[in-house]
């Protein structure tokens, strides 16, 4: 298959024609990203009915713009009040909050935005150039190798997403079992369906994610009077432009730093399961190791703020690559995008870039455009963000519940699916309250049917020979890497603990 | 990201709910695949085996910690705030009622009723005027955006039909 | 534009149709004058497969033009699962029998599915009324395969078991392959990959030796050669230069079972209640086939117009009976 990049300019023009989607999504993404707990994933879920009613292209661009913008938004509370909006911004307050306390809050915001926009734009363009080559890889993957890739996805998510590996594994495996519900692809025999015809075609993903993320979050959030914690008097942002400009300058003179931490984020993002949280910590850590002034980190050091922000924006494009090429989402938000795109009949795989270039390349093009718009939009708005944090939960929780429940009805028009959302809401709530990661369950639910399909297929092709799992060279290399990665994390922790 | 209280023995009982659910489901699942050919059972058996193994490991760890005294199991103190739990249960019932009536009452009406009741519940009946205003605003915006403009497949009830007839009548 | 007057209409028309008499065979009801206020709401169409598949493609092409002649829009709902079973069960359980609710599926695999395992409803409770295409089943192969002809395939299949990618086990294309294997003594292992795209990719990645699918799904694809069709003739010789007509060449004794035979179906009770509406559906469907815009729409959907097959209740019934008979004969192979 020859690689044709000449479609890209026209794709940029086509994607630009969706400005009416990008601009509101950008604003919305920033605002919602700033509300702790309401990550990009949750925003997309809340707006699900809207996304589903758009075309696949418009829906994709809309989601990507929200995703990108909310990444930036999440930095706001991280810097101002020491509460990261999402896990991906978890490393941001390390140096952002100290800056804020010392009265350089707006400067810190400007640094974070500039690093995000710059890092994000760069890695997005890199992804665009690399993806045709990367997609060739998928043409060499058979069921046997795909089984290991799926296990990578599930294992990494389980080990990384929770602070407690054992709980992470239990959540992930529980998700996998739930994902196994439905009729199998070979014999069409219903399994684990509780007798419901509605579950023959697997657990419906949109209700599952509505329940796990939105409804459980609504249950949790009503514990607090406002979305933010009760005592949030620390929000102080000095008005005026000079701090903003200074922040931009601070970042741009450290452009090399932005570039390499962004690239790090991109690479980590491509690995299924290793999301923004790990990328920002790795980038922060690496940045400190290679710094000439490691002692300044944690005291409000500019580079300590650039590293996680550039990296977690690099993840944004990286995480979409495995999704579009082999259908394995790189992270929770990508998983949700997968669900919506599947609803629109988009079939992932290397030929997506030929059969539907706007959906294939579109996300990256849209992302690039979003970053440019973000740069223009967010910097002047820096001063007004703090107000977002004090929305009373008594209003927001019911609205989220109502809209997401109806959103889970839309794809199949089954009342049953709203019941599924409620059941998953309860499971998700219990999981959240007891330290199990809902994202691990969701990834399991998504990867379960894929894993099982490939497994069944491999066994059918080999006529029931289990040794087929170790019959391919690529597969065997992947097995070794998988086992290494499984043991690396606990080993590292043990060493670090000493 | 709620912080768990780090200090004296942590009650581990709630942490056992998810493994319990997972275990029950895995066992149920295995009972439904006894009839299918073995290659269609293989992956489920493998995954549920791994699940059982993780739960077993988790149980051992818990036992170890119970013995060490860092974790305990007790029924009391499970629910820190009874009032909040009650609210959550009523909210859950409201959700079920919402789903139940949605197809007959249509999106706009049932959303309005649900929102007003839920807001009153969460605000402990304070400020019904604001509840009314927000419920009204949200359901009207929902109607305009999702049904009127985007024509999504939201369930339609008396309100939606009346408006459509008025539209068609003109 | 769209008024939901379902209940009122239903009552009115029960009266109307009882006056007209409960007609059993409906194709001879003249004129559509009585059905003047039909359709009165969007035509809900249940599609028992995933959005974006072959049925979706054909549905959009046909309904896009049909809606002009019928004067109302079609709204598809996709209900995939268990080889179409979910869609049909949902249709039978939820659809109103006022002729506004139709099902659009691929008769071949879906009827074969009933042969393998009966649905919960009576098979006479629905019938197909308008067939839109006849898409022959094909055997296709990766261009870099060492096998270049059907004879090569058979020779190789006598030496070892060939893996054959297919969309589903109970599918006319699978059936054709099994019959060919049975008649020639080669060994095949069917690998159901659910859906045309996955099946194609199974062959493209070299995971399976060859594949079987409706021809439209593989025609003109890069790195794919069509070696033969399960048919008595090659309709489009220039688009598949290497293809031979397997049914005649190897004397399979099979009727030409189109692997893609998409058709609209409806509840029999709807036909019984509203013969006038049924007549209007048929009349407007005929206008659709005659409309040049339809051929355009098919072309635009990248399906060859040569595979358009205008058919009504009689043709559908014949297909239904044929595939049921052949399916019963090879039932054991289909479930393996």
């Amino acid at each position: 298959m020859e690689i044709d990049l000449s479609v890209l300019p026209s794709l940029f023009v086509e994607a630009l024609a969706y400005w009416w989607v990008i601009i509101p999504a950008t604003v919305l993404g920033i605002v919602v990203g700033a509300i702790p707990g309401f990550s990009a994933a949750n925003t997309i879920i809340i707006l699900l009915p809207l996304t589903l009613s758009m075309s696949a292209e418009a829906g994709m661009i809309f989601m990507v713009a929200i995703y990108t913008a909310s990444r930036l938004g999440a930095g706001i509370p991280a810097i101002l009040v020491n509460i990261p909006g999402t896990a991906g911004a978890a490393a941001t307050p390390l140096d952002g909050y100290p800056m804020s306390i010392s009265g350089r809050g707006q400067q810190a915001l400007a640094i974070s935005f500039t690093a995000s926009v710059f890092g994000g734009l760069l890695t997005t363009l890199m992804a665009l150039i690399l993806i045709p080559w990367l997609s060739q890889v998928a043409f060499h993957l058979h069921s046997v190798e795909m089984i290991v890739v799926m296990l990578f996805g599930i294992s990494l998510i389980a080990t990384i997403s929770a602070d407690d590996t054992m709980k992470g594994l239990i959540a992930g495996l529980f998700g996998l079992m739930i994902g196994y519900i439905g009729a199998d692809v070979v014999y069409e025999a219903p399994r684990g369906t509780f007798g419901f015809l509605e579950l023959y075609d697997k657990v419906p993903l949109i209700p599952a994610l509505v329940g796990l993320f939105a409804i459980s979050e609504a249950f949790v959030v009503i514990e607090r009077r406002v979305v933010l914690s009760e005592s949030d008097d620390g929000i102080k942002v000095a008005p005026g432009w000079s701090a903003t400009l200074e922040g931009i300058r601070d970042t741009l003179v450290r452009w090399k730093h932005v570039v390499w931490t962004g690239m790090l984020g991109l690479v980590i993002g491509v690995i299924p399961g290793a999301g923004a949280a790990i990328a920002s910590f790795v980038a922060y850590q690496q940045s400190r190791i290679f710094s000439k002034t490691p002692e300044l980190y944690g005291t409000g050091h500019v580079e300590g703020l650039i590293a996680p922000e550039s990296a977690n924006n690099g993840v944004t494009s990286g995480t979409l690559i495995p999704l579009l090429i082999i259908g394995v989402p790189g992270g929770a938000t990508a998983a949700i995008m997968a669900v919506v795109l599947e609803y629109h009949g988009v079939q992932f795989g290397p030929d997506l870039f030929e059969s539907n270039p706007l959906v294939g390349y579109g996300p990256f093009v849209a992302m690039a455009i979003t970053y440019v718009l973000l740069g223009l939009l967010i910097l002047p708005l820096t001063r007004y963000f703090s107000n977002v944090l004090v929305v009373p939960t008594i209003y927001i929780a019911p609205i989220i519940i109502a809209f997401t429940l109806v959103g889970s009805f839309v794809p199949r028009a089954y009342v049953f699916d709203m019941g599924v959302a409620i059941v998953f809401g309860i499971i998700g709530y219990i999981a959240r309250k007891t330290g199990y990661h809902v994202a691990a369950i969701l990834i399991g639910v998504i990867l379960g049917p894929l894993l099982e399909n490939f497994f069944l297929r491999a066994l059918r092709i080999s006529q029931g020979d289990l040794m087929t799992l170790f019959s391919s060279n690529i597969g065997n290399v992947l097995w070794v890497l998988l086992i290494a990665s499984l043991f690396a994390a606990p080993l590292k922790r043990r060493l670090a603990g000493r | 990201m709620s912080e768990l209280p780090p200090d004296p023995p942590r009650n581990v009982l709630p942490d056992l709910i998810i493994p319990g659910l997972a275990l029950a489901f895995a066992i149920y699942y295995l009972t439904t695949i006894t009839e299918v050919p073995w290659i269609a059972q293989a992956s489920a058996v493998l995954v549920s085996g791994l699940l059982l193994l993780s739960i077993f490991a988790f149980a051992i760890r818990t036992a170890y910690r119970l013995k060490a005294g860092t974790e305990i199991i007790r029924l009391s103190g499970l629910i820190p705030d009874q009032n909040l739990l009650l609210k959550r249960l009523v909210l859950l019932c409201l959700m079920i009622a919402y789903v139940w009536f949605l197809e007959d009452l249509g999106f706009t009406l049932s959303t309005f009723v649900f929102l007003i009741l839920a807001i009153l519940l969460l605000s402990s009946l304070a400020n019904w005027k604001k509840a009314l205003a927000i419920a009204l605003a949200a359901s009207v915006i929902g109607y305009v955006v999702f049904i009127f403009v985007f024509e999504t497949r939201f369930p339609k009830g008396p309100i939606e039909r009346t408006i459509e007839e008025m539209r068609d009548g003109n | 534009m769209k008024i939901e007057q379902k209940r009122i209409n239903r009552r009115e028309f029960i009266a109307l149709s009882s006056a007209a008499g409960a007609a059993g065979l409906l194709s001879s009801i003249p004129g559509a004058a009585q059905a003047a206020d039909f359709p009165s709401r969007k035509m809900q169409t249940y599609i028992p497969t995933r959005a974006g598949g072959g049925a979706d493609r054909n549905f959009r092409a046909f309904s896009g033009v049909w809606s002009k002649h019928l004067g109302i829009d079609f709204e598809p709902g996709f209900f995939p699962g268990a080889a179409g079973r979910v869609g049909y069960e949902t249709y039978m359980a939820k659809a109103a029998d006022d002729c506004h609710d139709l099902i659009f599926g691929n008769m071949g695999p879906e009827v074969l599915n009933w042969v393998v395992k009966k649905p919960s409803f009576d098979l006479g409770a629905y019938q197909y009324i308008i067939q839109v295409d006849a898409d022959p089943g094909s055997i296709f192969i990766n261009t870099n395969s060492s096998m270049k002809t059907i004879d090569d395939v058979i020779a190789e299949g006598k030496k070892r078991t060939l893996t054959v990618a297919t969309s589903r086990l109970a599918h006319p294309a699978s059936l054709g392959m099994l019959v060919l294997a049975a008649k020639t003594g080669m060994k095949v292992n069917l690998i159901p990959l659910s859906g045309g795209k996955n099946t194609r990719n199974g062959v493209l990645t070299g995971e399976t030796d060859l594949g079987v699918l409706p021809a439209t799904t593989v025609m003109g694809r890069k790195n794919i050669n069509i070696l033969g069709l399960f048919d008595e003739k090659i309709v489009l010789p220039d688009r598949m230069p290497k293809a031979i007509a397997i049914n005649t060449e190897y004397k399979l004794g099979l009727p030409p079972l189109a692997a893609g035979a998409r058709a609209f179906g409806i509840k029999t009770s709807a036909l019984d209640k509203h013969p006038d509406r049924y007549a209007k559906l048929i009349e407007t469907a005929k206008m659709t086939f005659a409309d040049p815009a339809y051929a355009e729409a098919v072309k635009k959907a990248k399906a060859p117009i040569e595979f358009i097959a205008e058919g009504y209740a009689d043709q559908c019934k014949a297909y239904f009976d044929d595939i049921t008979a052949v399916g019963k004969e090879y039932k054991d192979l289909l479930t393996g």
Side-chain angles (χ1 to χ4, degrees), chain A residues 58-70:
Chain A
M60 181 85 219
I61 289 170
F62 182 75
M63 288 187 289
V64 164
I66 285 189
Y67 183 25
T68 315
S70 74

Side-chain angles (χ1 to χ4, degrees), chain A residues 41-181:
Chain A
N42 286 335
T43 316
I44 292 172
I45 295 166
I46 293 162
L47 295 171
L48 213 54
L50 202 64
T51 321
L52 295 181
S53 66
M54 297 176 181
S55 67
E57 291 85 5
M60 181 85 219
I61 289 170
F62 182 75
M63 288 187 289
V64 164
I66 285 189
Y67 183 25
T68 315
S70 74
R71 268 268 184 280
L72 265 77
I76 298 169
I79 290 169
L80 294 180
V81 288
N82 203 13
I83 296 177
T86 62
T92 306
L94 296 180
D95 277 280
Y97 189 56
M99 284 183 90
S100 220
I101 300 174
S102 63
R104 291 186 292 156
Q106 195 174 348
Q107 192 183 339
L109 285 176
I111 291 170
S112 136
F113 295 153
T114 317
S116 298
V117 169
F118 190 13
L121 191 58
L122 186 91
T123 48
T124 304
L125 295 176
M126 277 303 291
L128 260 178
I129 296 167
L130 288 178
I131 207 164
W133 280 274
L134 287 173
S135 72
Q136 295 305 300
V137 174
F139 274 118
H140 298 283
L141 294 177
H142 292 180
S143 312
V144 174
E145 289 105 26
M146 287 306 289
I147 292 171
V148 199
V149 173
M150 297 297 148
L151 291 177
F152 255 105
I154 192 81
S155 75
L156 280 169
I157 285 160
T159 38
I160 289 159
S161 64
D163 356 318
D164 188 331
T165 316
M166 233 175 245
K167 282 184 172 179
L169 269 176
I170 292 175
L173 290 168
F174 185 27
L176 274 181
M177 285 306 292
I178 296 173
Y180 278 12
I181 290 176

Side-chain angles (χ1 to χ4, degrees), chain B residues 7 9 21-22 28 34 50 67 75 80 94 100-101 107 109-111 116 134 137 141 143 148 151 157 159 163 167:
Chain B
D7 289 325
L21 281 176
Y28 160 72
T34 49
L50 282 175
K67 208 175 159 199
L75 277 171
L94 278 179
W100 195 268
F101 291 109
F107 167 77
L109 186 58
S110 42
T111 304
I116 205 161
I134 290 193
I141 291 172
Y143 172 81
F148 198 82
E151 297 198 341
I159 292 186
I163 295 177
R167 267 169 98 184

Side-chain angles (χ1 to χ4, degrees), chain A residues 482-498:
Chain A
L482 174 69
I483 290 163
S485 79
L486 277 178
F487 286 100
L491 208 69
K492 215 169 133 195
R493 212 169 306 134
R494 183 143 304 173
L495 288 176
R498 266 183 202 163

Side-chain angles (χ1 to χ4, degrees), chain A residues 22-317:
Chain A
I22 298 176
I23 290 179
T26 306
V27 176
L28 214 64
I30 297 170
V31 171
V32 182
I35 305 174
F38 292 92
S39 58
N42 286 335
T43 316
I44 292 172
I45 295 166
I46 293 162
L47 295 171
L48 213 54
L50 202 64
T51 321
L52 295 181
S53 66
M54 297 176 181
S55 67
E57 291 85 5
M60 181 85 219
I61 289 170
F62 182 75
M63 288 187 289
V64 164
I66 285 189
Y67 183 25
T68 315
S70 74
R71 268 268 184 280
L72 265 77
I76 298 169
I79 290 169
L80 294 180
V81 288
N82 203 13
I83 296 177
T86 62
T92 306
L94 296 180
D95 277 280
Y97 189 56
M99 284 183 90
S100 220
I101 300 174
S102 63
R104 291 186 292 156
Q106 195 174 348
Q107 192 183 339
L109 285 176
I111 291 170
S112 136
F113 295 153
T114 317
S116 298
V117 169
F118 190 13
L121 191 58
L122 186 91
T123 48
T124 304
L125 295 176
M126 277 303 291
L128 260 178
I129 296 167
L130 288 178
I131 207 164
W133 280 274
L134 287 173
S135 72
Q136 295 305 300
V137 174
F139 274 118
H140 298 283
L141 294 177
H142 292 180
S143 312
V144 174
E145 289 105 26
M146 287 306 289
I147 292 171
V148 199
V149 173
M150 297 297 148
L151 291 177
F152 255 105
I154 192 81
S155 75
L156 280 169
I157 285 160
T159 38
I160 289 159
S161 64
D163 356 318
D164 188 331
T165 316
M166 233 175 245
K167 282 184 172 179
L169 269 176
I170 292 175
L173 290 168
F174 185 27
L176 274 181
M177 285 306 292
I178 296 173
Y180 278 12
I181 290 176
D184 72 272
V185 283
V186 173
Y187 305 100
E188 317 275 3
R191 301 150 318 156
T193 58
F194 298 98
F196 292 114
L197 190 68
E198 290 89 341
L199 292 177
Y200 272 39
D201 189 38
K202 302 182 289 191
V203 169
L205 287 179
I206 287 174
L209 67 89
V210 159
L212 286 175
F213 283 81
I215 291 176
S216 68
E217 179 66 32
F219 272 138
V220 171
V221 94
I222 58 174
E223 283 164 20
R224 303 190 292 263
R225 195 177 56 80
V226 292
V227 176
L228 203 60
S229 63
E230 294 278 350
S231 56
D232 37 310
D233 45 2
I235 307 166
K236 291 184 208 80
V237 186
W241 279 97
S242 59
T244 305
L245 291 174
E246 202 179 322
I248 297 175
R249 204 189 47 109
D250 278 346
T251 317
L252 292 182
V253 296
R254 291 169 175 84
W255 64 272
K256 277 189 202 154
H257 206 74
V258 179
V259 171
W260 79 261
T261 49
M263 288 315 212
L264 196 63
L266 178 69
V267 172
I268 293 175
V270 174
I271 303 167
I278 186 114
S280 52
F281 277 111
V282 170
Y284 185 84
Q285 199 63 21
Q286 293 300 313
S287 155
R288 192 165 72 172
I289 289 171
F290 287 103
S291 169
K292 289 189 190 95
T293 54
E295 71 283 357
L296 290 179
Y297 281 74
T299 61
H301 192 46
V302 176
E303 281 164 25
L305 182 53
I306 290 177
E309 284 295 298
S310 181
N312 72 31
N313 280 279
V315 168
T316 312
S317 41

Side-chain angles (χ1 to χ4, degrees), chain C residues 277-289:
Chain C
R277 296 182 182 186
Y278 173 51
K280 184 159 180 180
L281 287 176
I282 297 300
E283 190 190 359
T284 49
K286 284 184 174 157
M287 287 154 79
T288 307
F289 279 113

